[in-house]
Amino acid sequence: MPTREDFEKYIDSRISQIQSDYIDLISGEIHRTLGQYPGTNHRMPICCEVMYEKMNDDDKVLHAPPKGKGATLKIRYFKRNH
C-alpha cells in the first residue's frame, strides 16, 4: 500500500523530469501507478493532499472534484528553476 512518502517521491520525480514547460498530473493515474487503486483500502485523500502540498505559486489546479480530493484531481506543475 503506498505511503505518503511514496506519493511524495513519485510526484517529486515526475516534476524534476519535466522536459517541456509543464506536466499535468492526475491523482487517479498516480495512485494506479503506485498500486492499491481502485480498491477498498485506497489512499486517494493522501495522494491528493501531497499533490496540493507540492504546488508552487505558478502551478494550477486544472480540475478538482467537488470535495477537493478524488481520482479526477488534475494539477499542472510548471518546470522548476533550480
Side-chain angles (χ1 to χ4, degrees):
M1 176 155 315
T3 64
R4 172 177 286 276
E5 186 175 80
D6 293 329
F7 290 119
E8 290 172 350
K9 286 180 181 177
Y10 180 81
I11 293 167
D12 284 341
S13 171
R14 294 297 307 274
I15 291 171
S16 71
Q17 295 172 7
I18 295 174
Q19 297 296 314
S20 59
D21 293 333
Y22 62 85
I23 188 170
D24 294 342
L25 297 180
I26 301 170
S27 55
E29 292 176 6
I30 293 170
H31 205 325
R32 279 184 198 90
T33 299
L34 295 177
Q36 301 295 317
Y37 186 82
T40 55
N41 293 322
H42 68 80
R43 300 274 173 95
M44 190 57 70
I46 295 171
C47 178
C48 294
E49 286 171 15
V50 172
M51 288 179 70
Y52 284 122
E53 290 168 7
K54 294 295 178 181
M55 290 181 71
N56 282 349
D57 291 340
D58 294 341
D59 300 333
K60 296 180 181 171
V61 175
L62 299 180
H63 176 78
K67 294 182 181 178
K69 297 177 185 172
T72 59
L73 175 62
K74 183 176 186 178
I75 298 178
R76 177 165 289 169
Y77 298 92
F78 289 90
K79 189 170 191 162
R80 309 296 196 234
N81 295 320
H82 295 241

